[in-house]
Amino acid sequence: MRFLDYPSIIRFAWADFDSSRPIDHIEDISARVSTNHVFRVTLEGGDRVIAKLSYFGKFEHFKEDHRLIHTLANNLLYPFENVLAKSLVKNNQVYVYRHRQEEEDIDVWVVFYNPIRVAEKLPRRLDEHHIRRLGSEIARFHMACSRVSTVMPKSSKTLRSDIQDLLALLDTETGRYEHRMNIEALRKQCNAFLENRRTIVEGAVETIPVFLDWNIGNFSVTKELELFSRWDYDWFRISYRVMDFYFFSRVCSDAGDRTVFSYLINPLAEERFGWFLEEYHKVYPLTRREVLFLPEAYRFFILNYVIKYGRYFFHRTYATKLQSEAYHTYFPSIEHFSVEPILERLKL
């Protein structure tokens, strides 16, 4: 896609949404590590909204994603009613603007949402009392998400469909070129995940709205040890709650909560993550099957977000590095990872 004037597209989108309130200025506040672009939009008079612009994937999935997020945000009750940002609505539906110029291969989408009150982030390396409180708060948050599950819109994306899409990609010219040295190794990893998902959790473990996002460190605890967000937007999908745990293990890890473009399995085995699990388990007990699935949650992340989408989410240099590490380090480490210490710790 050629260079696009993102602020102009946002101005078009806002004029279509509410032409009576002109934009004063637009500030790019993107994290600059993915295909999503985030802007702080200040209107004349000083009111602010957040604009998210994307062109990755399919427009229909973009709309579906934001219906899920909006429904979750509007149905979470105290004390989590203001943790997530709420999308702006027009004609009783989440407003999504589509900017398409087929002759120039341009297809870009914009959604607006209200800023939420954010807090200062915690130190990069959390203390034990922060980690333990985060564990209990996330357990309560997951319980709230579970209660909302019955009113969530149907999602077209599942773990199984995502991995089947990767298998299909490996049969295309693009996939064969992108992964030409490792096609069979990837097929083996995909099939291992699908089989273990079927035997460990399919039909036996509930699905709820979960983060499943490497920006999960944006959610933490205040000095009063209450859950808060320090960002305006994070992605949710309907899946197993343990799909979040690898990301929380990174937040808790000795390396601290920072952007490190390496995704070793080690944080899952750290004593510090054990503190998180102990407190989580007291509030919202985990099952043996869920703990057994932890290595598969990690395998899915590497397959779907490093292998399949890495070249879209990361700068090519990082994507190449991560994919190389996947073949030589990440996948072999799964086979040597044992959940027995966690099962013993939680007495499962």
Side-chain angles (χ1 to χ4, degrees):
M1 184 175 292
R2 66 177 179 80
F3 171 78
L4 293 175
D5 183 352
Y6 297 139
S8 291
I9 294 174
I10 290 170
R11 288 180 183 276
F12 290 143
W14 183 257
D16 182 68
F17 176 74
D18 186 358
S19 59
S20 70
R21 306 172 69 200
I23 290 175
D24 183 77
H25 64 274
I26 299 172
E27 178 186 0
D28 189 341
I29 56 172
S30 305
R32 302 183 189 281
V33 294
S34 77
T35 52
N36 292 331
H37 300 267
V38 184
F39 300 84
R40 183 182 293 116
V41 179
T42 303
L43 307 175
E44 290 185 6
D47 288 343
R48 287 177 170 175
V49 296
I50 303 298
K52 179 195 169 195
L53 179 150
S54 184
Y55 48 81
F56 172 71
K58 298 179 179 179
F59 173 67
E60 291 74 21
H61 287 164
F62 185 82
K63 288 178 61 177
E64 177 183 291
D65 292 349
H66 288 87
R67 283 202 306 272
L68 288 168
I69 297 164
H70 186 68
T71 303
L72 182 59
N74 279 321
N75 283 278
L76 286 171
L77 303 177
Y78 177 85
F80 304 114
E81 73 276 19
N82 294 314
V83 169
L84 301 179
K86 295 178 174 61
S87 300
L88 300 193
V89 173
K90 188 173 184 177
N91 299 326
N92 296 318
Q93 293 186 349
V94 173
Y95 174 77
V96 182
Y97 177 82
R98 187 174 193 178
H99 183 87
R100 182 161 54 170
Q101 297 173 232
E102 293 184 3
E103 67 280 3
E104 298 186 49
D105 192 29
I106 294 173
D107 196 5
V108 180
W109 324 303
V110 177
V111 65
F112 296 104
Y113 49 94
N114 287 313
I116 59 173
R117 296 181 66 181
V118 297
E120 293 296 321
K121 62 184 179 181
L122 289 165
R124 286 184 169 182
R125 188 178 184 276
L126 301 185
D127 294 330
E128 181 177 348
H129 76 285
H130 285 134
I131 292 171
R132 289 189 177 278
R133 183 64 185 205
L134 183 61
S136 61
E137 285 293 291
I138 292 299
R140 292 185 179 91
F141 185 73
H142 274 172
M143 289 177 70
C145 290
S146 176
R147 288 192 288 267
V148 172
S149 294
T150 56
V151 301
M152 294 296 292
K154 185 175 176 59
S155 174
S156 63
K157 290 186 290 186
T158 65
L159 302 185
R160 182 171 60 180
S161 68
D162 277 343
I163 297 305
Q164 287 174 334
D165 286 346
L166 175 54
L167 282 169
L169 175 65
L170 297 178
D171 288 331
T172 67
E173 185 176 342
T174 298
R176 286 193 295 269
Y177 174 77
E178 183 77 15
H179 307 290
R180 54 193 178 280
M181 301 297 292
N182 300 282
I183 294 289
E184 291 309 314
L186 279 177
R187 286 200 179 102
K188 180 180 178 181
Q189 292 295 329
C190 289
N191 288 326
F193 173 81
L194 291 172
E195 176 61 16
N196 290 333
R197 187 203 69 86
R198 185 186 67 80
T199 58
I200 298 172
V201 293
E202 184 179 21
V205 174
E206 72 166 341
T207 57
I208 68 171
V210 294
F211 295 121
L212 201 58
D213 185 61
W214 48 73
N215 289 327
I216 208 163
N218 289 327
F219 293 83
S220 204
V221 289
T222 66
K223 291 179 181 179
E224 292 73 35
L225 304 182
E226 296 176 344
L227 186 69
F228 78 94
S229 172
R230 63 171 191 264
W231 193 241
D232 294 290
Y233 168 86
D234 264 76
W235 157 231
F236 283 76
R237 64 184 291 163
I238 308 300
S239 194
Y240 308 108
R241 57 178 166 152
V242 294
M243 296 302 293
D244 279 346
F245 280 26
Y246 173 63
F247 304 98
F248 280 119
S249 75
R250 286 173 58 84
V251 173
C252 297
S253 78
D254 197 46
D257 173 18
R258 66 187 77 193
T259 302
V260 180
F261 287 105
S262 185
Y263 292 100
L264 301 172
I265 200 170
N266 306 38
L268 283 171
E270 285 187 32
E271 168 73 5
R272 296 166 65 84
F273 185 54
W275 300 336
F276 176 97
L277 289 175
E278 284 175 354
E279 302 308 316
Y280 184 103
H281 189 61
K282 291 175 184 175
V283 176
Y284 193 7
L286 292 158
T287 67
R288 183 179 180 87
R289 286 179 179 270
E290 287 173 312
V291 173
L292 290 173
F293 196 65
L294 277 174
E296 295 309 315
Y298 173 80
R299 194 194 310 260
F300 176 85
F301 170 70
I302 301 302
L303 283 170
N304 204 54
Y305 296 111
V306 172
I307 298 296
K308 185 165 74 170
Y309 291 140
R311 62 195 177 100
Y312 299 105
F313 289 154
F314 301 102
H315 185 282
R316 179 162 288 278
T317 301
Y318 287 130
T320 301
K321 171 183 178 292
L322 291 174
Q323 289 180 348
S324 176
E325 289 179 356
Y327 301 122
H328 298 104
T329 304
Y330 302 157
F331 290 136
S333 71
I334 297 172
E335 310 312 321
H336 296 97
F337 183 83
S338 173
V339 298
E340 287 303 319
I342 297 175
L343 291 170
E344 292 175 11
R345 186 174 201 135
L346 302 182
K347 298 179 172 57
L348 291 173

